[in-house]
Amino acid sequence: MNEMRILQQRLLRGANLYSRSPCLVALIESALPDAGWQLAYTTRYLQQACGETVEFMHAEPADDVPSRWRVVVQYALEHLGQAALKAAADLIAASARGAVPDVASAVGQLRALATAMQLPPGARALAREAAALGVPVQRISEHGGLLRLGWGSRQWRYVDDAGDDNRLLGNTLLQRRQLMRSLLIEAQLPVPAEDFHKPQRQPGERLRVQVMDGVARHATVPVRQLCERAAATLGLAHAQVDLLPGRRGYAVDAVLGAVPPSGEQRMLPQALHADPARARIPVIGITGTNGKTTTTLMIAHAVQLAGYRTGCASTQGITLDGQLYAEGDCTGYWSHRSLLASPLTEFAVLETARGGLLKRGLAYDRCSVGVMLNVSDDHLGLDGVHTVEQLARVKSLVVEAARVAVLNADDAHCVAARSRLAPDARAIYFSMRPDNPVLLAQLEQGGDAVWLENDIIMLGQRRVRQRVIAAVHIPATCGGLARYNTANAMAATAALVAAGFSVEQIAAALASFESDAATNPLRSNVFELGPVHIVLDYAHNSAAYAAVATLARGLAGPAGRVLAVVTAPGDRRDEDLVRTGATCAAHFDQLYVYESQGRGRTQGGAAELISAGARAAGGAASGTAVSTYPAADVAVQVAYRACLPGDVMVFACGTEVATLIEAIHAIDAPAAERLAQQAAPAA
């Protein structure tokens, strides 16, 4: 096979597993010897021939298939990098067929593309100057010369010919439709489809909404929020927003307004030199295998209580100043970028997941504080990550980018990440054990640390030790029974201390943070149905099941049983699913294993492996009964019927609270009503 097939490619737009620079990563198939290295070298060479200063390249065998390679090459221009990759593959394939590769023609075409994509001279010079000063620089689109310098409420925008405009280019954007659209799309606002090269004003029934002093004049909440965000994205307090109806609701077709002349743009170079750090807002990034969402929400709650207009991205969605504007898993690059790009964001709290790091890289070059909670065997065998050590390397990207790193002293992978911190960064450790040797060494050296002592969260700063809050006074710990949330609270404490918050502010925030089915669904939500408790949790790996079992055992007491309805996604390795079953057998009295997300496996395959792991671990010998079901509702109903007074039923890895309520409703409508009442938001 002389051809070279590009099976998949991704743009890692920020720091990633391979490099601190943006990279193109491609999965290729070729029988040629050293095909991956040939492609990496040629792609890099073609970009360098166009004048781009790219250096990094890497190739490795992929997916245990002899003819497959994963190729990683640094790029400066996205379109040029992708075109160079394709041209390199064509040149190598031509040579393998015995033809003479036309390198000169390929370079000529790529140079023409590079020239068309280059920034104008003024913008190019300013971008270099700002980057040298340490100011974050982002090009909004390679189809235009619009730059963002800095983040959030402290950003400047720049185009070469803006003239007497303000720092957010209000007048310029109002006059240039494509620049405006680029910013609206980046902010994850819906816009009508349009040919970029031949822009046409969209016809249709138009809804025109006035925004005055940042407030939209419309009766419908979604329309108000859409118009207010559109105006704020463009830096306009007063605007007229034109909406067009679509299949999924309204889209922003145009924003009109008038902005007083301003000479702020002329002051940009002086402002950058006067205080480059002022271009950055505080950013806290949170990563780990388990506990990310709860820790993120704890920190965001504290930041918002302190009066900051807070942007928070998590698995629940994106909120800005307490207002939810995107739902679902928002733990990756584009969600983070939308918050960092918003002129409203004063402080960003960003849950950062493995998938987002592998698919797009980090959205920021540096963060004020990076939190690494823990690392355990989850998501292995995906995207080239096969070991826990490799997974730890991925997650450590967050703390590598941090000015202050918060590390779990009880987790060897987190402790090892300290060696990868920037030379000028410092670490704060947290531990559940006051005698942890890493913690004690940190305190002995005068470093900062947070630990649990006699069930009280303690803080050590510069050899001064003080009490923060008792674990039982934190609602998320369920009276101290949910010890993993005590650990999450300690991580949040360390992060907030690093960000400059006082002990009083932190204690007040932790004491007022509610974690229930309404505010933090699927994270250790506890329901009471008379003498029976139900614990709903998103546990989906061994470590998470072991952790939630501690809460369930505490609720059951010495006399009660713990019945667990469990599962795990099918894209986990066989050994991981078997280990999950063994862990569940060790911690629960009865297991009801169900099939949830097959993700490539045959129906029932994942549940059978979990059940086999439970039985092989001695589940039957230890008295743990194991049964398997094709779906969640049947498993929930059987387990619920088996509950006796004093028992606790754990339902894990559900996708939403409604799954539990609907399953119970079919066999006990009054109980389902009580569940729904407990899950409803407080009035």
Side-chain angles (χ1 to χ4, degrees), residues 529 534 536 565 594 631-641 649 651 656-673 675:
L529 293 179
I534 296 180
L536 178 64
V565 182
Y594 70 96
D633 55 350
V634 179
V636 167
Q637 290 163 2
V638 174
Y640 177 74
R641 286 192 174 108
M649 186 183 96
F651 176 35
E656 53 185 15
V657 180
T659 304
L660 172 66
I661 297 173
E662 290 169 4
I664 299 297
H665 190 274
I667 58 174
D668 188 345
E673 284 295 322
L675 287 174

Side-chain angles (χ1 to χ4, degrees), residues 47 343 361 410 449 486:
Q47 292 183 86
D410 300 328
T486 300

Side-chain angles (χ1 to χ4, degrees), residues 541-546 548-549 553 562-567 576-593 609-627:
N541 56 54
S542 295
Y545 276 117
V548 76
R553 284 288 172 202
V562 179
L563 292 69
V565 182
V566 304
T567 189
D576 297 329
L577 294 171
V578 169
R579 189 181 303 111
T580 293
T583 299
C584 290
H587 288 87
F588 302 118
D589 298 308
Q590 293 190 27
L591 285 183
Y592 305 81
V593 185
L609 283 168
I610 296 170
S611 298
R615 295 187 181 103
S622 65
T624 301
V626 182
S627 50

Side-chain angles (χ1 to χ4, degrees), residues 234-373:
L234 304 178
L236 305 174
H238 312 293
Q240 178 179 284
V241 182
D242 284 2
L243 306 177
L244 288 176
R247 285 182 300 175
R248 298 184 179 180
Y250 283 105
V252 180
D253 182 50
V255 181
L256 309 173
V259 180
S262 168
E264 283 184 298
Q265 278 294 309
R266 293 195 302 272
M267 303 298 295
L268 175 55
Q270 299 95 306
L272 293 178
H273 279 276
D275 187 1
R278 283 193 59 79
R280 295 179 181 272
I281 60 171
V283 175
I284 298 179
I286 301 95
T287 193
T289 301
N290 296 310
K292 296 186 298 295
T293 298
T294 298
T295 305
T296 297
L297 297 180
M298 280 180 175
I299 294 171
H301 174 68
V303 173
Q304 187 141 0
L305 278 183
Y308 289 95
R309 190 182 291 123
T310 308
C312 178
S314 71
T315 54
Q316 291 190 17
I318 305 174
T319 58
L320 182 51
D321 201 22
Q323 184 179 103
L324 180 71
Y325 70 80
E327 292 188 70
D329 190 343
C330 296
T331 58
Y333 177 89
W334 287 112
S335 299
H336 295 176
R337 179 166 165 174
S338 74
L339 282 175
L340 295 173
S342 172
L344 294 176
T345 308
E346 296 176 346
F347 199 124
V349 184
L350 308 174
E351 179 181 349
T352 309
R354 168 210 61 91
L357 291 170
L358 289 170
K359 290 179 173 63
R360 288 290 179 262
L362 279 179
Y364 44 86
D365 60 335
R366 296 207 311 270
C367 56
S368 313
V369 184
V371 181
M372 191 169 177
L373 294 168

Side-chain angles (χ1 to χ4, degrees), residues 4 15 60-61 88 155 265 269 277 298 319 369 378 420 424 459 462 541 579 596 613 633 640 646 681:
M4 181 175 287
E60 61 188 16
Q155 69 182 279
Q265 278 294 309
M298 280 180 175
T319 58
V369 184
D378 196 15
R420 294 193 283 270
D424 60 344
L459 168 66
R462 294 175 292 279
N541 56 54
R579 189 181 303 111
S596 57
D633 55 350
Y640 177 74

Side-chain angles (χ1 to χ4, degrees), residues 1 3 61 99 111 136 244 277 304 322 380 450 454 464 538 546 552 569 577 610 617:
M1 183 176 67
E3 67 180 50
R111 282 178 175 168
L244 288 176
Q304 187 141 0
L380 299 182
V450 177
N454 297 323
V464 176
Y538 188 59
L577 294 171
I610 296 170

